[in-house]
Amino acid sequence: RLIHLEAGEVEDIHKLIVYSYLPDFACNLENFKKHNDLQYDLIFSHYWLSGLVGEYLQKRWNIPHITMFHTLGAVKNTLGVGEDEPELRIEMERSLAQNCYHIIAPTEKEKEELIRHYGALPERIGVVPCGVNLEQFKPVGKESARKYLALGNDKIILFVGRIDPLKGIDKLIKAIPYLQDVQGLRLAVIGGGEHSQLEIEQLQKLACNLNIQDSVTFLGLIKHDQLPYFYSAADVCVVPSCYESFGLVALESLA
């Protein structure tokens, strides 16, 4: 069951502005619970912004709050890639890590980082790896997938993910010239949108400077149900990220 509760303005905003709307969201959630005479046994939040609402409601409703961070601001800031995460996020994540009932980490590595950076108690962290829907992500014949996507016979290197400096796409593009002895090589980049246009333009400029612009194709956003065809059609799927809390793309590709 998915319930949509409104809070804030109906417009595209920076994710940090969402922070100012959290009290409205929490209030609307409490009103929804009261209006429908509901009782909840557990709060499970994802990402630090939702986690703050969960932390508040844990106290209000006196029920356990379990959270999953997905990425950690403190770890991102150690990499020196892209913009630093604000101190607000770091402090709020530290508060969450120390005050929630339990934390789900997708890897042992993230568990270690939660302990080291945020002082989380080891006994409050459970490691549960992410999974994929094997009904959706399953092999498609390579020739059939290429015919469906009209990709031809190129040797395809595939990237799937956000267009973000943290994803390391620039490093992947810089690696392509070392493979130019491979005939018909193509890097296909899936991801991006209106908010990624500047980053895409910078990556396209990089490809031009390396004289490989004809070997790099930005496909934009692709519907989720189309991804298995691209994974199956590719010769290799590359995850060049500087940091991943888990790396779901690798798992989808392996499936």
Side-chain angles (χ1 to χ4, degrees):
R1 185 185 184 193
L2 180 63
I3 301 164
H4 178 215
L5 299 175
E6 293 186 0
E9 302 297 326
V10 183
E11 60 184 19
D12 289 337
I13 58 175
H14 190 278
K15 63 182 180 182
L16 285 179
I17 298 178
V18 174
Y19 177 78
S20 63
Y21 295 137
L22 295 183
D24 288 344
F25 179 77
C27 181
N28 290 343
L29 180 50
E30 288 200 273
N31 289 338
F32 175 84
K33 173 179 176 288
K34 182 178 180 180
H35 178 75
N36 291 278
D37 193 26
L38 297 171
Q39 295 297 323
Y40 294 112
D41 301 313
L42 178 73
I43 303 164
F44 189 13
S45 66
H46 294 261
Y47 198 61
W48 69 278
L49 289 165
S50 299
L52 295 179
V53 176
E55 184 177 27
Y56 166 77
L57 293 177
Q58 175 180 246
K59 299 173 184 176
R60 290 277 296 175
W61 296 348
N62 194 31
I63 59 175
H65 170 218
I66 297 175
T67 193
M68 190 170 186
F69 287 90
H70 294 281
T71 60
L72 302 175
V75 176
K76 293 174 74 172
N77 285 355
T78 64
L79 302 172
V81 178
E83 295 182 4
D84 274 357
E85 292 296 317
E87 190 60 28
L88 171 67
R89 174 177 178 176
I90 308 303
E91 288 304 314
M92 294 300 98
E93 286 186 338
R94 181 175 291 110
S95 174
L96 274 171
Q98 295 179 2
N99 294 308
C100 69
Y101 180 80
H102 201 74
I103 301 169
I104 300 296
T107 64
E108 290 288 346
K109 176 68 173 176
E110 181 159 301
K111 178 179 178 178
E112 294 170 3
E113 289 166 341
L114 282 161
I115 296 168
R116 180 168 66 253
H117 291 286
Y118 293 145
L121 296 176
E123 60 270 24
R124 287 189 180 180
I125 306 173
V127 177
V128 181
C130 299
V132 296
N133 182 355
L134 295 179
E135 290 298 315
Q136 179 177 4
F137 290 96
K138 55 187 176 182
V140 179
K142 188 172 184 177
E143 290 186 10
S144 298
R146 286 183 171 235
K147 183 177 181 180
Y148 176 79
L149 298 171
L151 289 178
N153 296 316
D154 288 346
K155 297 290 185 182
I156 297 175
I157 298 173
L158 180 66
F159 169 89
V160 179
R162 293 195 324 276
I163 308 300
D164 183 288
L166 204 63
K167 294 295 184 178
I169 308 170
D170 58 329
K171 295 179 177 61
L172 182 54
I173 291 175
K174 290 175 182 177
I176 297 300
Y178 293 95
L179 303 172
Q180 285 304 290
D181 58 334
V182 179
Q183 295 296 316
L185 184 69
R186 176 164 300 281
L187 170 60
V189 178
I190 291 178
E194 292 182 9
H195 299 294
S196 306
Q197 195 55 45
L198 179 60
E199 182 69 20
I200 290 174
E201 290 174 1
Q202 292 174 342
L203 293 170
Q204 289 172 328
K205 183 178 180 180
L206 174 61
C208 287
N209 291 340
L210 295 171
N211 199 31
I212 57 169
Q213 63 271 20
D214 293 335
S215 299
V216 181
T217 302
F218 290 86
L219 297 171
L221 295 174
I222 298 294
K223 290 183 178 180
H224 214 57
D225 60 5
Q226 298 294 297
L227 287 178
Y229 292 97
F230 283 95
Y231 286 132
S232 296
D235 291 281
V236 61
C237 181
V238 181
V239 183
S241 304
C242 302
Y243 167 52
E244 292 279 357
S245 62
F246 182 79
L248 199 57
V249 165
L251 201 59
E252 291 174 351
S253 180
L254 286 168

